[in-house]
Amino acid sequence: MAFYRSQVLVCGGTGCTSSGCGQIVEALQAEMKKHNVENEIELVKTGCFGLCELGPIVIVYPEGSFYSQVKAEDVPEIVEEHLVKGRVVERLLYTETVTEDGIKSLNDTGFYKKQMRVALRNCGVINPENIDEYLALDGYKALEKVLLHMTREEVIDTMKASGLRGRGGGGFPTGLKWEFAAKQTNPVKYMLCNADEGDPGAFMDRSILEGDPHSLIEAMAIGGYAVGANQGYIYVRAEYPIAVDRLEVAIKQAREYGLLGKNIFESGFDFDLEVRLGAGAFVCGEETALINSIEGKRGMPNPKPPFPAVSGLWEKPSIINNVETYANIPVIINKGAEWFKSIGSENNAGTKVFALGGNIVNTGLVEIPMGTTLREVIFEIGGGIPKGKKFKAVQTGGPSGGALTEEHLDTPIDYDNLIKLGSMMGSGGMIVMDEDTCMVDVAKFFLDFTVEESCGKCTPCRVGTKRLLEILEKITEGKGTMEDLLKLEKLGKQIKATSLCGLGQTAPNPILSTLENFRHEYEAHVIDKSCPAGICKELLKYTIIEEPCKKCGLCQRACPVGAIEGKVRENFTIIQDKCIKCGACVDKCPFNAIERK
């Protein structure tokens, strides 16, 4: 076994990969070899550290120095100064870790100090392609424990006692779902993983697959033992190439170590896994549509009951949980149900992972105990709204959720509270919006997404969402009426009540919640024919203000459609019928003489 004096961890998640972490790894390898320290320092490409806003990220241990927004040209200085001479390069450190009293721990920064990493415990800590590193952190001990020391009933009882609820959006008790499948007499059963994560801006499951794939493998094997399944399928979207590659590597390693396959731990229990790639259809996040896709059929939902735990894949009892749900299971087995239940709030045990994005300082992945307030997440962990803008709303649950306002900021985050407010937890997307956001446009954005993603099987979703979108488009073009607002509410409620699956049942949520909390914006679009946020293009009007105008003609030359008339040193006028509202004149004018309303 090799021993190293230092360890350099480079984030190898999708975000940092897109920012050039591959070049940083190559540069580190070259510089370490140049200084003859490649045998003294271990270089590890890990999963996501969470603080995606600051990527690419490099952390050097044992000091824990957190280098942010690293470029390949910074690497020679890091190697020579820090790794060779032992001097931290302060200019590259995450600024919040640098204080007058010295370098403070990353765990004491605003982003990390209120987090509790359970599902993300190994992300950014281990090399996800090295099973030995997972084993060193108690990996597969939970599987060994259940196979050698627990009955199937004891495993299910532990899951029920823990209070773990499905992290895919519905929040159904995991142990209860497993119990339903365990009671079925069919000798063939399946464990399924929903890694299809289709919400815009969501990347929780992807990050676990990229940073800690063995936690999913171990958990699915535990579930297989508990319900009596010997085969599992992981359904993951093909747009996640890094996640798929690391998952395949992990499955191969687990088989080589005898942790998948026949007679695991010589217990007589057989279990194996296969990966199935999805084409990225949002509807395949619905469990019966996912099952149809695995079977080779078009990804469309089926009426329920029967539920998958009774009749699922190939009409056999099947358990479906998402990646984050599974990631909690080995820890629950190792530390006990009471430990897990002590985290969070009543009826909402444990932690929840959120993808925090939008108008927020600290974009990234956060894991918080249930019951943490929206204010804590947005203003303490997230760092607040950039550029001194005011907070306006937060959309939780992606296109299935709703927009919450400032009066909701002190709401403890859990399944039940969010549903009461007209939103939902969803898989964990959390989009923050500032004062410059048009809430009618936000509702239109999410509805446009669900219209595109509707499978078309049921009329309320296929036709109803299209009609909702048409009304919203009419409103944002300044052609809406007060009657249209009533139509939005009535039709939205009908679609929720009559759609076949969760996609259609939740599609109207962004409209209904914004109508509830921002009705004045809808009325401004309808009555005043104006967009208060200045976003809806058809309602914008550009005018030249005479006093600051220098009559230079820069705006006229910038206009691509000749909508500005006049001569240099004389007055200029914008012809509204010709103006395409592109904003080129505003960008070009150095005197702020063009008003955009």
Side-chain angles (χ1 to χ4, degrees):
M1 181 182 291
F3 292 93
Y4 302 95
R5 62 176 175 84
S6 288
Q7 190 180 52
V8 179
L9 272 56
V10 180
C11 175
T14 292
C16 287
T17 298
S18 66
S19 301
C21 81
Q23 294 92 318
I24 292 168
V25 170
E26 290 174 3
L28 281 165
Q29 290 170 334
E31 287 296 315
M32 287 163 58
K33 188 172 183 179
K34 175 182 173 182
H35 290 276
N36 297 314
V37 294
E38 70 271 24
N39 295 323
E40 302 174 26
I41 298 165
E42 184 181 24
L43 179 61
V44 180
K45 197 172 180 181
T46 73
C48 180
F49 292 114
L51 198 45
C52 304
E53 180 72 19
L54 298 179
I57 293 169
V58 176
I59 300 182
V60 179
Y61 288 104
E63 300 92 333
S65 302
F66 187 95
Y67 293 116
S68 61
Q69 296 179 327
V70 178
K71 300 179 178 64
E73 51 264 35
D74 296 323
V75 169
E77 184 179 2
I78 292 174
V79 173
E80 183 172 349
E81 291 297 313
H82 191 158
L83 302 183
V84 176
K85 298 179 181 177
R87 299 190 293 221
V88 174
V89 185
E90 284 198 17
R91 73 174 185 86
L92 295 174
L93 290 176
Y94 173 33
T95 52
E96 199 181 330
T97 65
V98 182
T99 68
E100 293 180 356
D101 299 325
I103 310 301
K104 70 177 181 181
S105 167
L106 191 62
N107 292 329
D108 293 329
T109 62
F111 183 77
Y112 287 104
K113 66 183 178 183
K114 285 205 167 183
Q115 291 195 52
M116 183 177 184
R117 291 165 80 88
V118 178
L120 299 178
R121 61 194 177 278
N122 293 328
C123 294
V125 176
I126 65 172
N127 178 351
E129 297 186 26
N130 186 341
I131 190 173
D132 291 329
E133 294 199 12
Y134 181 72
L135 292 171
L137 293 178
D138 295 334
Y140 291 101
K141 279 192 174 180
L143 179 59
E144 179 186 22
K145 180 178 179 181
V146 301
L147 293 184
L148 301 184
H149 304 291
M150 297 176 72
T151 64
R152 301 176 190 275
E153 293 75 19
E154 286 173 337
V155 177
I156 291 174
D157 288 344
T158 298
M159 298 311 302
K160 288 168 65 178
S162 73
L164 176 65
R165 296 172 67 172
R167 299 307 197 234
F172 191 82
T174 303
L176 194 58
K177 181 186 285 189
W178 285 17
E179 185 176 55
F180 290 156
K183 288 181 177 179
Q184 304 305 309
T185 57
N186 196 310
V188 179
K189 300 175 184 178
Y190 296 104
M191 291 298 294
L192 308 179
C193 174
N194 179 358
D196 190 58
E197 196 168 50
D199 287 12
F203 52 98
M204 299 75 62
D205 289 351
R206 185 194 75 202
S207 295
I208 295 172
L209 291 175
E210 291 176 350
D212 191 19
H214 284 286
S215 65
L216 170 61
I217 295 169
E218 181 176 15
M220 292 187 72
I222 291 170
Y225 171 73
V227 305
N230 301 113
Q231 179 65 43
Y233 293 94
I234 302 169
Y235 186 86
V236 57
R237 52 182 45 223
E239 292 100 323
Y240 286 178
I242 297 174
V244 171
D245 288 346
R246 291 181 182 167
L247 192 54
E248 295 279 16
V249 168
I251 290 173
K252 182 181 177 182
Q253 291 175 342
R255 286 180 183 143
E256 291 172 351
Y257 276 54
L259 299 167
L260 282 177
K262 301 289 185 182
N263 196 24
I264 301 171
F265 287 116
E266 298 184 354
S267 64
F269 173 64
D270 304 336
F271 188 79
D272 211 344
L273 283 171
E274 291 183 32
V275 175
R276 288 287 185 270
L277 298 184
F282 181 59
V283 73
C284 286
E286 197 279 336
E287 53 188 11
T288 59
L290 181 152
I291 287 170
N292 281 327
S293 184
I294 292 178
E295 291 179 352
K297 303 171 187 173
R298 185 175 176 183
M300 301 173 79
N302 296 331
K304 294 182 286 190
F307 292 93
V310 176
S311 179
L313 185 64
W314 293 299
E315 300 181 357
K316 303 296 190 295
S318 305
I319 288 296
I320 305 178
N321 292 119
N322 80 328
V323 177
E324 185 187 342
T325 308
Y326 280 121
N328 284 282
I329 289 167
V331 192
I332 292 172
I333 296 297
N334 283 330
K335 294 192 174 183
E338 288 304 314
W339 171 84
F340 188 79
K341 199 162 187 178
S342 70
I343 306 165
S345 57
E346 188 177 0
N347 299 322
N348 290 271
T351 59
K352 180 72 188 78
V353 182
F354 289 95
L356 188 60
N359 303 125
I360 192 79
V361 172
N362 296 328
T363 300
L365 203 65
V366 304
E367 184 172 3
I368 54 166
M370 292 278 199
T372 303
T373 65
L374 286 165
R375 188 183 302 277
E376 289 174 291
V377 174
I378 295 167
F379 290 96
E380 296 183 37
I381 296 173
I385 315 302
K387 300 179 183 178
K389 299 284 186 178
K390 293 181 180 178
F391 168 83
K392 187 171 189 176
V394 57
Q395 177 87 9
T396 65
S400 303
L404 305 177
T405 68
E406 190 167 8
E407 68 177 274
H408 304 127
L409 284 175
D410 294 312
T411 301
I413 300 170
D414 62 37
Y415 293 98
D416 310 313
N417 283 332
L418 293 181
I419 288 174
K420 285 177 187 176
L421 297 176
S423 186
M424 65 184 297
M425 185 88 74
S427 58
M430 188 178 288
I431 309 296
V432 180
M433 292 164 268
D434 67 14
E435 59 188 277
D436 295 333
T437 305
C438 171
M439 301 311 296
V440 183
D441 185 64
V442 167
K444 187 176 76 170
F445 167 80
F446 283 116
L447 198 67
D448 183 62
F449 176 82
T450 50
V451 166
E452 287 294 316
E453 294 295 335
S454 173
C455 73
K457 186 171 184 177
C458 74
T459 303
C461 182
R462 181 184 70 249
V463 179
T465 56
K466 182 66 174 175
R467 296 292 87 83
L468 286 176
L469 181 59
E470 288 170 353
I471 297 171
L472 285 177
E473 288 172 340
K474 181 182 174 185
I475 291 171
T476 57
E477 290 169 1
K479 302 172 184 176
T481 65
M482 292 302 290
E483 185 182 0
D484 288 324
L485 302 189
L486 297 176
K487 287 180 181 178
L488 284 176
E489 287 183 296
K490 184 177 180 181
L491 182 55
K493 290 175 182 177
Q494 287 176 338
I495 294 169
K496 281 179 68 70
T498 57
S499 290
L500 174 61
C501 81
L503 187 150
Q505 291 162 10
T506 58
N509 282 352
I511 296 175
L512 297 175
S513 68
T514 50
L515 274 170
E516 172 75 20
N517 297 316
F518 298 95
R519 194 176 191 89
H520 60 281
E521 288 200 26
Y522 282 86
E523 292 174 347
H525 283 70
V526 170
I527 299 171
D528 303 328
K529 307 302 179 186
S530 69
C531 174
I535 297 297
C536 297
K537 194 174 179 180
E538 296 295 328
L539 300 180
L540 292 179
K541 184 178 181 180
Y542 291 84
T543 55
I544 297 174
I545 309 169
E546 188 172 339
E547 185 175 334
C549 179
K550 304 301 181 184
K551 302 175 176 60
C552 63
L554 284 174
C555 58
Q556 187 182 52
R557 291 195 291 274
C559 181
V561 293
I564 301 178
E565 293 184 352
K567 294 181 179 180
V568 175
R569 291 188 290 276
E570 296 182 10
N571 289 331
F572 286 89
T573 304
I574 298 176
I575 309 303
Q576 297 301 324
D577 290 342
K578 286 187 177 181
C579 179
I580 60 172
K581 284 92 172 176
C582 65
C585 56
V586 176
D587 295 336
K588 197 68 176 177
C589 179
F591 310 110
N592 297 319
I594 300 176
E595 187 176 44
R596 178 176 179 266
K597 287 186 178 180

